[in-house]
Amino acid sequence: MFQVAIVVGGGNIFRGASAAGNSGLDRSSADYIGMLATVMNAIFLQATMESIGIPTRVQTAFRMSEVAEPYIRRRAVRHLEKGRVVIFAAGTGNPFFTTDTAAALRCAEINAEVVLKATNVDGVYDDNPRRNPNARLLDTLTYQEVTSKDLSVMDMTAITLCQENNIPVVVFNLNQPGNIAKAIQGERVGTLIGGTWNSTVSKTLG
């Protein structure tokens, strides 16, 4: 049985790092607003998933007890064991950290076997595919290659967390129908960071 936890972002509503400085908004305040945006997305996602019969729980990094549970690691693991999808919101609960870092952190905390990073491109390229039509999609990468080549996959804190905890990362296109199912089932899709496809497939399917 698959156990699935989701870390949601809030960039479609408010992006803290981009908004900082506007109208005197400092970075910490902007990041907290961004965290609240992730809670809005999490509640919407929960309602959508439960409307099609998927049991879910939303856990937030800071207390919002009227709308969601506070993040408690043991409770999150128990929900997963019972077959519920756990949606983590409000990032890490701290400013200056991205939802990528929150995903890597929660992944390590609940002993998840792989981070699946859904994005709007097919994976990691050796150059920006929007600027360079000859950019090549990379099949696999090491953590060191991501950092040394400064590839804009995840922020460095997230990559370092994954490396230290030996957690592979699969980067794939969210907009391609069927890709989420393929990624969850361990099929080759997008780019794999920090692992080999055969071993990652066996772990994901295990």
Side-chain angles (χ1 to χ4, degrees):
M1 182 182 73
F2 297 113
Q3 296 179 355
V4 178
I6 302 171
V7 174
V8 292
N12 60 313
I13 300 173
F14 189 91
R15 195 172 294 275
S18 302
N22 294 341
S23 301
L25 193 64
D26 63 85
R27 175 63 189 272
S28 292
S29 298
D31 280 354
Y32 279 118
I33 296 171
M35 288 181 230
L36 293 173
T38 72
V39 177
M40 295 168 67
N41 279 340
I43 293 169
F44 190 91
L45 179 61
Q46 179 183 42
T48 302
M49 294 180 75
E50 292 195 336
S51 72
I52 57 173
I54 301 173
T56 69
R57 293 292 186 274
V58 174
Q59 292 196 343
T60 55
F62 43 74
R63 291 185 178 274
M64 303 180 68
S65 54
E66 288 78 9
V67 296
E69 298 177 2
Y71 170 68
I72 299 172
R73 188 187 69 84
R74 283 180 173 270
R75 184 177 290 176
V77 170
R78 185 64 176 147
H79 287 319
L80 292 169
E81 291 172 347
K82 289 184 175 182
R84 298 165 183 152
V85 173
V86 180
I87 303 170
F88 295 122
T92 66
N94 300 287
F96 301 98
F97 291 96
T98 67
T99 49
D100 284 344
T101 298
L105 176 62
R106 295 291 182 249
C107 188
E109 287 179 311
I110 65 174
N111 298 317
E113 294 182 335
V114 62
V115 170
L116 305 177
K117 178 174 171 58
T119 183
N120 57 6
V121 292
D122 290 333
V124 183
Y125 289 80
D126 59 0
D127 196 4
N128 189 328
R130 292 189 175 90
R131 291 197 303 258
N132 180 2
N134 297 316
R136 184 170 57 92
L137 178 65
L138 303 171
D139 187 52
T140 59
L141 284 166
T142 65
Y143 304 111
Q144 291 83 359
E145 286 174 324
V146 173
T147 53
S148 65
K149 296 177 180 178
D150 195 26
L151 297 173
S152 55
V153 183
M154 303 169 78
D155 66 83
M156 291 301 110
T157 305
I159 286 293
T160 301
L161 263 173
C162 289
Q163 181 177 8
E164 289 177 349
N165 292 280
N166 197 29
I167 301 168
V169 181
V170 178
V171 183
F172 65 96
N173 192 335
L174 176 65
N175 300 315
Q176 188 69 30
N179 269 2
I180 294 177
K182 288 179 182 177
I184 290 175
Q185 294 176 64
E187 297 180 28
R188 279 178 177 254
V189 58
T191 303
L192 172 64
I193 301 169
T196 57
W197 279 113
N198 289 340
S199 64
T200 302
V201 166
S202 64
K203 283 180 69 178
T204 306
L205 294 180

